[in-house]
Amino acid sequence: MTTSKDMWRKGTYTISTDKRFLQEDVIYGYLHEKSYWSNGIDREVVRRSIEHSAFCFGVFQGEPGAADCRQVGFARVISDCATFAYLCDVFILPEHSGGGLGKWLMEVITQYPPTSGVRRFLLATRDAHGLYAQYGFEPLAAPERYMAISRSQATLPER
């Protein structure tokens, strides 16, 4: 595996935090059609979530920016880079899963200097507890302290 600033390579795959390389159609397609957590999400909500997230990690087959490069995975982190980070929208396209890309993505995210030392790093998952536990995530020590507002669809204010 080779690493450069904000870009990691393993075989024919690359992970990059450069938002310019993200393929919005791939991200929107997965989140809108295949994910259990955001099925039916509006494209503009996806666009704004990417724009305002501290870090987005794109997983690519090939060289990001090249004409033949294809995005095959994604994750984003919302963070102040000191006290709090929230990991969300993590996926590897089904045709690329099972080869360790998800584990590699989690390794990169949890060792990424801007977020590796935050005090609280949270995520929500329905079915991948075992994967995330390998990277230090554990059930909330005091879930009674946490509250949430949950909305089925974000209402975007006019810009």
Side-chain angles (χ1 to χ4, degrees):
M1 176 175 69
T2 59
T3 303
S4 63
K5 185 175 178 351
D6 301 334
M7 194 170 286
W8 301 261
R9 290 182 174 80
K10 184 185 265 187
T12 62
Y13 293 95
T14 304
I15 295 175
S16 174
T17 58
D18 191 331
K19 292 180 184 181
R20 296 174 298 170
F21 298 133
L22 296 175
Q23 297 170 5
E24 185 182 303
D25 287 343
V26 173
I27 299 166
Y28 170 72
Y30 186 88
L31 295 176
H32 180 79
E33 298 170 12
K34 296 184 170 100
S35 72
Y36 67 81
W37 63 89
S38 62
N39 195 270
I41 194 168
D42 183 74
R43 182 182 284 270
E44 182 60 20
V45 172
V46 172
R47 184 176 292 122
R48 286 181 60 186
S49 71
I50 291 168
E51 178 184 345
H52 295 288
S53 290
F55 306 103
C56 292
F57 295 81
V59 182
F60 303 92
Q61 186 172 36
E63 185 65 28
D68 63 344
C69 181
R70 180 161 181 251
Q71 185 166 355
V72 301
F74 178 73
R76 63 188 182 91
V77 175
I78 303 160
S79 182
D80 62 11
C81 300
T83 63
F84 182 78
Y86 182 75
L87 175 63
C88 53
D89 294 339
V90 181
F91 71 85
I92 300 294
L93 294 178
E95 58 270 28
H96 293 269
S97 65
L101 287 178
K103 289 181 178 184
W104 181 42
L105 176 59
M106 288 306 303
E107 179 182 313
V108 166
I109 291 169
T110 56
Q111 293 178 11
Y112 189 55
T115 57
S116 64
V118 295
R119 286 188 70 207
R120 290 180 190 86
F121 203 155
L122 300 177
L123 62 80
T125 185
R126 180 174 73 185
D127 56 5
H129 297 79
L131 169 66
Y132 297 120
Q134 295 175 50
Y135 300 93
F137 289 92
E138 53 191 33
L140 294 174
E144 67 278 2
R145 293 183 184 177
Y146 292 83
M147 297 178 71
I149 295 173
S150 297
R151 297 182 178 105
S152 61
Q153 185 66 268
T155 304
L156 297 177
E158 292 296 319
R159 293 184 82 178

